[in-house]
Amino acid sequence: MGALSQFNWNDYLLALPITLLTLFALGILLIDLMLPPESKWVNAVTALIGVVFATAGVVKIQLWLQAGHLPPGSGWPGLMGTIYMDRFALYFFYLFLAGTAVSILMSMRYMQTEHENHGEYYTLMLLSVVGMMCMASGYDIVLIFIGLELMAISTYVLVGFLRRDRRSNEAALKYLLLGAFSSGIFAYGLSLLYGLTGSTNLGEISRELSRLLYRDPHNAVAIVALLTTITGLLFKVAAVPFHQWAPDAYEGAPTCITGFMSVAVKAAGWAMLLRILIWGLGPMRAVWLPLLVFVSIATMTGANFAALTQTNTKRLLAYSSIAHVGYMLLGLIAGTATQLSPDGIKGILIYLLVYTFMNLGAFGVITSLRHRNVIGDELDDLNGLYARAPVEAVLMLIFLLSLAGIPPLAGFWGKYFIFLSLIETGHYALASLGVLYSVFGLYYYLKMANAIFMGQPEERGLLPVSWTMRAALVVTAFATLVIGIMPDRFIQIVNWSLGLAQSPAVAKLIR
Amino acid sequence: MQNHILSIILFTPLVGALVLLFVPKENKDAIRWIANLFALGGLLVSLPLVPMFWSQMQSADRFKFIEGVPNNWIPSIGAGYVIGIDGISFLLIMLTTLLGWISILSSWTAIETRVKEYYVWFLILQTGMLGVFMALDFFLFFVFWEAMLVPMYLLIGIWGGPRKLYAAIKFFLYTLAGSVLMLLGILFLYFHHHALTGIYTFSLTALYETAPKIYSDPAYGPGIATLLFFAFFFAFAIKVPMFPFHTWLPDAHVEAPTAGSVILAGVLLKMGTYGFIRFSLPFFPDVLMHTKVRGWMITLSIIAIIYGALVSLMQKDMKKLVAYSSVSHLGFCTLGIFALTPLGLSGSVLQQINHGISTGALFLIVGILYERRHTREIAEYGGISNVMPVYATITMIMFLSSMGLPLLNGFVGEFTILQGTFMENWRWGAWAVPGVVLAAAYLLWLYQRVFFGPVTNPKNEKLHDLTPREVLTFVPLLIMAFWIGLYPKPFFEILEQPVNQIVQDVRHPRSGAAVNAALQATPPATAAVTASSTRGKN
Amino acid sequence: MFFLSHIWLIPLLPALGAAIMFFFGRKLQKATVSAVCVGSIVLAFIMACGAVWQYSAWSSPGEHFHQPYQTILYTWLGTDTGHLTYTTHDGAQAPFQADAGFLLDPLSSIWLLFVTGVGMLIHIYSTGYMAHESGYYRFFGYLNLFMFSMLTLILANNYVLMFVGWEGVGLCSYLLIGFYFHRKSATDAGNKAFIVNRIGDAGFLLGMFFIAWNFGSLRFADVTQLAHSGRFAIGDPYITAATLLLFVGACGKSAQLPLYIWLPDAMEGPTPVSALIHAATMVTAGVYMVARSNALFVLAPASMKTVAIVGALTAIFAASIALVQNDIKRVLAYSTVSQLGYMFLALGVGAFAAGVFHVFTHAFFKALLFLGAGSVIHSMSGEQDMRNMGDLGHRIPITHRTMFIATLAIAGIFPFAGFFSKDAILWETWSREGGAYRLLWYVGYATALMTAFYMFRLMYLTFHGRPRMSHDAEHHIHESPVSMTAPLVALALCAIVAGWLGWPHSLGGSDRFTAFLEPVFATEANVLQQQGRTTQLEAGAKEEERNTTGEWVLMGLSLAAAGLGWGMAWRNYRHADKGYTEPIAAVPPVYNTLLNKYYVDEGYDYVFTGRRKLGNARLGVLGLGEGSSWFDVHIIDGLVNGAGWITRLTATISSWWDKWIIDGIGVNGPAILARMFSYPARLFEWGLVQWYALVMTAGLVGFVFYYVYH
Amino acid sequence: MESILHITTLHYLVLGAALFLLGVIGVLTRRNVVIVLMSIELILNAVNLNLVAFSRMWGGLHGQIFAIFIITDAAAEAAVGLGILIAFFRNKETVNIDEVNLLKW
Amino acid sequence: MAPVATPFFFYLFAAIMVIGGVMVITRKNPVHSALALIVALLAQASIYLMLYAPFVAGVQIILYAGGIMVLFLFVIMLVSIDRSIRERQFNSQWVVGLIAATALGGLLIAVYTKGTNIFPEHALSVVENDNTQQVATMLYGQYMFPFEIASLLLLVAIIGAVVMAKKRI
């Protein structure tokens, strides 16, 4: 494809969602100045509208791409080769936007309770989505890096947004220091990649690398480049041993941001990871595959064990999300072990999809526990939730069981495809380990369920839950159930996003 | 009606649960009435199945009343909403609807808190269990299998005894641990089927064709087949539960509310044995016929029989005693299954039904006493037959049924199992027989301690005898106990065809050539795919 | 042919009675209860007589000569089509079927008659005996249920249905022994009876399976026919196993060594029960079963020998215990055990007819003895200890006289019933070839001596000598009502004449009893003959070998023994007063051993049941149970949870740890496991951001090192 | 001697690695958050040095451009980091990083 | 057209850089560290010049030494550093940290020096005089999009710094 140095009108279209988001972000900044304190909710609504517009923009791109009749699996290199707009990217765009929309819904009441209901919050959120989009669609390591930083820096601020709260401060500081440190390492790796290949374009890098490795299969510098790069990538998705920021940041951040981080930011991390590892560093698969095996086992082990006795729900869910990363890494291993089976990658994408909803839902319920003087992030705060908010309690049960992977809930499908691909590629031991750890996971999810359904509430009276939160919960629960019970449509979407041709057998069955 | 009878049976309880959602939770009596109505409705809609099944029994189809076509649910992975029954599942379904109704009826006064939830979960559980017995698609089966854990977990966890949390989690974790391994096994079969035929499907009948070939497939061989067998084995063995995977059972039983125990013992445990019959046997005939594997299975069964009985003997808690007796009884069931004879198999199924009836009744019995005195310590009681004669009589009959007295149901099952096992290898039969003696020992001893003697504990003096509602819960069980004991022929007739079919599958699996011939006969489109993708990996 | 074709009504009538008692009994008057229950038995008796009568007409020479009559109601187990099959020993497929079918032949006729007859009498007796008991309806319900089971046992046409009756009588025995459920001793005895019986039943079950495995059928007719067909060699190991196992069942039911222990305890039940169940009918079920399986036993000489030896040993063993017992019913109980031993001795030596004959006569005189004892107890207001009796003879004359007749019968005094049957047994034993059988004869002979002694001891202690009871009790002594004495008289009559049915050839009789049973029993000789191994001639010759003189000598000897026993008892107990001495007490060890029944119960309690502890250790089944449940809680649960060993290990190391485990939630494995591994995993995150960075760096260094220098 | 005196890309690389090393050491060991942030600047500078050296080596300008972006990023990070530090300092009155341990386990 | 005495200047600036770096991470007073950092950055700018990257060098001096370091100094003034100066400067894990970091650096250097021929050693002739123009062309050409995003990045940095540092928004 090469670097297209021509800039044409298509590129405006490709940048449409990003532009829209930026405009709305700036708009919020301006509107915020004019808003009296009691109608700050307009910010959120504006942000939501922005998300809707951006979604429309993505739809527009999708229609345009489809009209262009690109062959499945390939994309449109735009903006002079810095982005590569394919279905994979679009899939992630939708994912980011969905996660963001739900997060915004969840945030409204929470930020009010915290007295930090400022327009900047939503601005940063939207801008971080811009960063994510750059990560997902970027095809140039410069853009990916800048997008990453845009997302990361927005997130640092969002994590520390409760400035008067020490835990929020601390989380932000830790997250920033570690994030910057890892970015440094990541950038170092990228610089080495550039040094090895002479290009910043992923396609070029891939081509040059394979040439380089053909000459010298054990190129030590390439390995160092790969490892430093992968450190940054694994840091962003929070895989052991680069995961330690996650529990702290998750715990300290405002709960709605925790939710946002655990889905959108994580999805962006995964988009980047898949993009770089598969599109860019594919030739080095022989090196990173065993590494990922180690990392995924370590991740599942460490996270699951750590979560077992956790009493802070946010932290618990943080560990659980780390554990889920472990499972997804298994999918990556299986998906790239042989060229033949894309099921693992499919598993990751489905996983991220269902994870967006179920995890946001779970965090939503925890967010709704915050009222007056109660932080609501301890396991005890969940006690007797059923008596205080029956609907939320049942929804939480759905989310938890979905996280644990109990069919017919959405979470099952993520695990399903990952284990499917592992079996398909003959990784029986890894598959067994994975499923056993998922049983492990059930234990701590059930601990929460136990508190909700069997604990005695300390407070009497119903829990006040805002209608926006209700809406968010209903949306996420609905998605969790629908994806769980009628997964076919969503599997098709993922197939589409990966550009998988329907295999003849499946096609026959559908007919 | 004919075509959708199974779906109607399957979803009636679920509809009940949905209806209950809209009843205000303060209105407890309305909730109870509605729940009972739907439970009874579930039983009533299942009754027409009896004549319908009876009239179709002789048809050559392996499964009857099939609804849905393969792959209609999730075409992209080949999973379908396919349900159907054969004689074995027919009996278990009838047992489920019956026990479901009885359990719900028995909960009328036992459950005072969070009534609405209770019935909702119970009705959902009912649907889950029925689904397990009906599913003819492996995937559907797995979904029901797992989904049903949740309501049971909540039933134990919310309405259970003092250590309910521990018991509930233990129950859930154990069962899940087994079933996830099964999932891997399922996936393997799925790919194997694809490798042979080029079709991705979870359809049970399709997998029946290909799964047995793993054993002789040079690409996989006996080792992998055995591994797969064990992947399934763990799931089912934990559920049954076979020794030594049984430790969740006493905890779950003891802590569960009465109705929960009834359903747990009556139906949930049968899922394990049902799984063995429906899946393990036809899928892995060669593995099972392997002397060592079978030896282990039989050994574990026999250990369970003896061991469960011995442990029962020394229990101080009535419910625990009954729980361990389940281990022993289920040992008989698995023994019958792994004897791999038509006789053992039909005896096993019959014994599963019997166990559902008898042990279900035993848990009701313990529950009734518990409801009155709030203790299950055997030492707290004594001389109950003085104050509760009707109760004592019913208890005696159920004890006798449980210990396998002829003319009651237990004997028919045990005898058939023992004979079937004996004919396969007389030593196996001989080892299992002491279980019969021990059953008498622990049950009679329990009866003596609880019911006989003078009333020593003043708290027991004022106990009132059974209410009409409570008697009503026992009536169907008593009728069934006597029916099966006196005239089991219809049951044997129902079972005859499926067990012979299964044993035929296990003992004389169709040769590879036959399967290939069958595949050749498929339409050309499939054949082309087969040609292109068979042995793609080798 | 009404009676014959409706033969199934015979068991059903009492079942109906039982059902009525079960559902409505509580609300019925005692009179109604008696009418229903006794009525049903009377009807059954009439039906039985009719059926036997019609059968003898039906099977008389002609079309059905010597054939059993069978009627099948429906297929009980299995299906009609017979597609449910099993593989027999020789690889053939046999259908799994068990009928609800009934069979009448000479053997079952005899049992049918005396069971219904004696049963009827005892029912009548019970209306008097139980008149003042609460739970009257319950008692009769149980009794009727028992009659149903016993009649099913007798009339079954296959082993499985026989097993139904077999277990059923066990159950009823359990229920009736535990009738006074307020007494722990009664319920204990009931449990013991049931469980010991169950052990036997287990043997029966296995025996049945062996039969099915060998013959492919469990119908008596099929089995007998196949056994006679010559397809099976004498001494076939599987048939030997089958018969031995059946005999285990018989041992349980018929109280043979070593499973006899339940029977003496069973005397806790009301006396009519002891008479009906534990003397006349149920306990002879074992004999019936062995006799029923005679075709098999004949094929298994080793089993026959076992039966004979066990029978003889039981006979003398129980008799020796009975010598010194003081409880009137216990003496009778041990006497029953002993007499049952006799019967098995007869069966074991191949004298099936003699054994059955003894069952028949024994039914009358032993029932009579028990009922008499019941009458005594009744008159003594519940006193059972003979040391507190004496001189009752003239106060309860009918009881005294009828019991005396029974004593003469059991002691084998000519011409009472017992003489003929006992003599037949002893003679058959003696005339059996092979030296060891002579030994058995000596045992039997000694037993006869003892029998006479202890029975007359009972008579003298009870009815003669000085009155030793308290004044209060003495005041209340009265003869029993007619409902009780009438059966006594009837039975006494039978005890005299029943033996005459088998008046032996040597005394000029025709032994019609044996002749009647002839078609049922096979002998080794005619099996051999059917198999073509010996000629008709030889078999005939053996038949002719009756040594009339020898028989007379033996009769004389056994009469002498009976007389000797009587004499010894007369000498010792004729004038028994308070503090009389037992002659055997002169040798204290022997006396104590006998008085304590050879300490067998204690031994069982220590070794088998584990009811008693040896030091701190519980042995036997209960010990096993205890051990298993400990094992379950501590080892299996622990192991399966994956941390059991940690629990054990640490618990011993430190009591603090133990306390923590027990107090905390940590009793369970998962939690410990969680703590063991979770805390380190969490401690890893100890909050210092630079530590996190360090871990990242270390990870990176590790990876680089691994990949670059690997 | 030749290898020392003839300055090649390798030399810059090694220099960059040294700078990187110093930065990592600073991040891992210093307690003062401000200095830790400076150490991160060191790391980013090491990256920049690499990039510019490679840019020279390849004769393209991609490396230099990348370096400019990284400088931008360094500026943004420093600004936000210091902002967060100020907010933190207001609450906790310290800039010592090992006193930042409210969140753990 | 190689600059004169390249090795000498290289080693000189490299030494300044390394010494500056060492001082950054060893000084007690953050102000001293910041000054050391400025020195190191200036030295690095010189090295950029040697690498024919005048524009980057300029940015380095203006943005880094001029902008960022001033920001640092401001913040150092803003937060009270008296206490932290008096206290321990290194945390409790410094030994381990030092070892790990040194191991990492050592590994990197070892890898680079061992594989000298890894990088293609073609010193291309670059037209030095129009470096700035070329940079501009690329920045506004091929890298226009990242450049726009970088502007958003700075916007976020501003917003973030304001949100965090301002007492009341």
Side-chain angles (χ1 to χ4, degrees), chain E:
Chain E
M1 184 184 125
V4 275
T6 305
F8 170 74
F9 283 110
F10 173 78
Y11 284 115
L12 175 68
F13 292 128
I16 294 173
M17 270 175 73
V18 171
I19 291 168
V22 170
M23 283 176 69
V24 169
I25 60 171
T26 48
R27 289 305 90 199
K28 264 188 178 181
N29 192 331
V31 178
H32 298 170
S33 289
L35 292 177
L37 184 57
I38 291 172
V39 171
L41 293 178
L42 289 176
Q44 192 171 1
S46 315
I47 287 185
Y48 288 159
L49 281 176
M50 288 169 62
L51 285 165
Y52 304 102
F55 184 75
V56 182
V59 171
Q60 175 89 352
I61 293 168
I62 297 166
L63 216 152
Y64 241 126
I68 300 178
M69 292 324 294
V70 171
L71 185 62
F72 267 97
L73 288 174
F74 267 126
V75 172
I76 293 168
M77 298 305 147
L78 216 61
V79 301
S80 149
I81 50 169
D82 303 345
R83 192 171 75 117
S84 64
I85 289 179
R86 275 181 270 109
E87 282 173 355
R88 268 188 309 122
Q89 291 302 311
F90 294 93
N91 59 19
S92 46
Q93 61 168 24
W94 70 271
V95 181
V96 193
L98 197 64
I99 291 170
T102 317
L104 181 62
L107 274 174
L108 292 181
I109 292 169
V111 166
Y112 299 148
T113 49
K114 231 166 61 176
T116 348
N117 55 350
I118 287 167
F119 299 105
E121 196 50 55
H122 44 178
L124 292 174
S125 62
V126 186
V127 190
E128 288 101 31
N129 48 15
D130 56 353
N131 174 275
T132 310
Q133 285 93 322
Q134 279 193 1
V135 167
T137 314
M138 285 196 89
L139 216 49
Y140 296 109
Q142 193 184 346
Y143 288 102
M144 186 206 72
F145 190 58
F147 185 76
E148 297 295 336
I149 302 297
S151 68
L152 288 183
L153 182 64
L154 290 174
L155 173 69
V156 164
I158 294 165
I159 298 173
V162 169
V163 166
M164 285 293 125
K166 211 175 161 191
K167 276 192 174 145
R168 289 178 56 87
I169 302 175

Side-chain angles (χ1 to χ4, degrees), chain A residues 410-489:
Chain A
F412 171 71
W413 293 103
K415 292 210 171 83
Y416 169 80
F417 276 102
I418 281 165
F419 297 133
L420 182 81
S421 59
L422 284 172
I423 291 288
E424 189 178 17
T425 51
H427 291 97
Y428 305 127
L430 275 182
S432 311
L433 199 68
V435 292
L436 287 179
Y437 273 127
S438 73
V439 175
F440 239 84
L442 183 72
Y443 178 73
Y444 48 79
Y445 295 128
L446 284 188
K447 255 180 30 178
M448 294 171 76
N450 281 344
I452 292 170
F453 283 93
M454 299 148 205
Q456 288 304 316
E458 282 168 24
E459 296 177 66
R460 295 275 148 220
L462 289 179
L463 191 72
V465 181
S466 65
W467 67 267
T468 49
M469 175 58 77
R470 282 253 157 86
L473 290 179
V474 166
V475 166
T476 48
F478 185 72
T480 308
L481 283 172
V482 167
I483 299 175
I485 296 169
M486 314 289 230
D488 201 55
R489 168 68 39 192

Side-chain angles (χ1 to χ4, degrees), chain C residues 516-576:
Chain C
F516 183 58
L517 286 170
E518 191 73 60
V520 183
F521 294 127
T523 59
E524 217 170 298
N526 57 33
V527 171
L528 287 175
Q529 178 216 327
Q530 264 158 349
Q531 293 185 353
R533 295 192 204 167
T534 55
T535 60
Q536 178 98 37
L537 203 68
E538 274 176 283
K542 197 171 160 49
E543 200 60 31
E544 280 306 303
E545 222 179 292
R546 276 192 174 277
N547 184 340
T548 317
T549 331
E551 213 174 328
W552 282 349
V553 173
L554 285 188
M555 279 180 196
L557 279 175
S558 61
L559 269 176
L564 184 64
W566 187 355
M568 280 160 67
W570 180 80
R571 202 172 68 88
N572 280 303
Y573 304 106
R574 186 169 31 121
H575 300 301

Side-chain angles (χ1 to χ4, degrees), chain B residues 35-275:
Chain B
N36 274 288
L37 225 58
F38 272 96
L40 184 60
L43 176 62
L44 290 181
V45 295
S46 72
L47 288 181
L49 190 59
V50 177
M52 284 159 77
F53 188 85
W54 193 258
S55 63
Q56 290 209 7
M57 204 169 67
Q58 298 306 326
S59 78
D61 302 336
R62 181 165 193 169
F63 295 106
K64 284 111 185 162
F65 302 101
I66 294 181
E67 272 176 52
V69 289
N71 315 321
N72 62 356
W73 175 28
I74 314 172
S76 48
I77 65 166
Y81 174 76
V82 191
I83 55 178
I85 53 173
D86 65 355
I88 296 167
S89 37
F90 166 69
L91 289 181
L92 289 168
I93 284 167
M94 297 309 294
L95 177 74
T96 309
T97 52
L98 176 68
L99 283 183
W101 170 60
I102 288 174
S103 315
I104 285 186
L105 184 62
S106 76
S107 315
W108 195 287
T109 52
I111 302 299
E112 285 294 342
T113 52
R114 297 162 81 169
V115 178
K116 176 172 157 185
E117 264 177 281
Y118 176 83
Y119 286 113
V120 169
W121 290 124
F122 216 107
L123 289 168
I124 294 175
L125 174 68
Q126 180 85 346
T127 292
M129 296 184 302
L130 289 169
V132 167
F133 292 133
M134 288 179 187
L136 287 189
D137 182 280
F138 220 131
F139 206 85
L140 191 68
F141 168 82
F142 187 76
V143 167
F144 278 121
W145 173 280
E146 297 258 291
M148 158 228 85
L149 296 179
V150 178
M152 193 68 226
Y153 153 75
L154 288 166
L155 286 178
I156 298 174
I158 299 179
W159 294 274
R163 288 175 75 224
K164 58 192 180 183
L165 289 186
Y166 171 70
I169 290 194
K170 196 169 177 183
F171 162 77
F172 205 150
L173 288 184
Y174 268 56
T175 335
L176 192 74
S179 61
V180 290
L181 286 177
M182 175 170 74
L183 178 63
L184 297 185
I186 296 172
L187 295 179
F188 190 98
L189 298 184
Y190 172 74
F191 283 116
H192 181 254
H193 184 81
H194 174 251
L196 286 190
T197 64
I199 297 172
Y200 284 114
T201 183
F202 284 104
S203 163
L204 201 55
T205 40
L207 294 178
Y208 276 167
E209 296 292 332
T210 52
K213 301 181 73 191
I214 295 174
Y215 192 85
S216 48
D217 191 327
Y220 304 109
I224 293 282
T226 313
L227 219 60
L228 278 174
F229 169 78
F230 276 101
F232 281 81
F233 169 78
F234 281 119
F236 301 140
I238 288 173
K239 197 84 187 177
V240 168
M242 284 175 85
F243 180 91
F245 308 107
H246 63 276
T247 50
W248 65 268
L249 181 83
D251 287 311
H253 269 328
V254 168
E255 302 305 330
T258 301
S261 304
V262 173
I263 282 292
L264 192 58
V267 183
L268 259 70
L269 305 189
K270 310 304 155 17
M271 293 182 179
T273 46
Y274 176 77

Side-chain angles (χ1 to χ4, degrees), chain A residues 71-264:
Chain A
S74 66
W76 184 268
L79 290 160
M80 283 134 322
T82 47
I83 70 167
Y84 187 68
M85 191 61 76
D86 55 358
R87 293 166 173 183
F88 177 83
L90 288 176
Y91 180 82
F92 274 98
F93 281 13
Y94 286 124
L95 219 55
F96 301 147
L97 290 169
T100 311
V102 178
S103 304
I104 291 171
L105 282 177
M106 278 164 38
S107 307
M108 289 170 75
R109 166 66 172 271
Y110 184 85
M111 296 314 283
Q112 227 162 28
T113 320
E114 297 284 1
H115 302 293
E116 295 284 5
N117 199 9
H118 310 299
E120 286 85 351
Y121 177 83
Y122 300 104
T123 305
L124 288 171
M125 229 170 182
L126 294 188
L127 287 177
S128 80
V129 176
V130 171
M132 293 172 198
M133 287 180 168
C134 295
M135 289 159 78
S137 63
Y139 207 56
D140 190 295
I141 50 177
V142 175
L143 179 62
I144 291 177
F145 182 76
I146 287 294
L148 167 69
E149 286 303 313
L150 176 57
M151 178 197 80
I153 290 177
S154 314
T155 320
Y156 302 150
V157 181
L158 287 172
V159 168
F161 209 81
L162 309 178
R163 290 162 305 153
R164 284 179 283 272
D165 179 22
R166 277 192 192 180
R167 298 202 304 169
S168 182
N169 290 149
E170 181 176 331
L173 189 57
K174 281 180 171 173
Y175 189 21
L176 176 119
L177 288 175
L178 288 172
F181 182 54
S182 86
S183 309
I185 296 175
F186 183 52
Y188 193 83
L190 293 181
S191 77
L192 287 179
L193 279 180
Y194 168 66
L196 282 167
T197 60
S199 172
T200 55
N201 186 288
L202 279 183
E204 300 274 329
I205 288 175
S206 173
R207 216 165 310 137
E208 285 296 324
L209 264 184
S210 49
R211 203 172 301 161
L212 199 67
L213 290 170
Y214 182 73
R215 286 202 305 270
D216 177 15
H218 298 289
N219 190 322
V221 178
I223 288 171
V224 170
L226 170 79
L227 291 175
T228 41
T229 311
I230 220 169
T231 301
L233 297 175
L234 291 177
F235 175 87
K236 281 297 160 200
V237 299
V240 175
F242 312 111
H243 68 291
Q244 286 172 304
W245 60 275
D248 288 3
Y250 280 28
E251 188 187 343
T255 315
C256 40
I257 285 305
T258 312
F260 179 70
M261 279 166 75
S262 72
V263 298

Side-chain angles (χ1 to χ4, degrees), chain A residues 149 163 169-170 195 310 315, chain D residues 58 73 77 91 100 102 105:
Chain A
E149 286 303 313
R163 290 162 305 153
N169 290 149
E170 181 176 331
Q310 194 52 254
R315 229 178 151 74
Chain D
W58 285 102
D73 172 54
E77 241 165 33
N91 278 331
V100 186
L102 206 59
W105 298 328

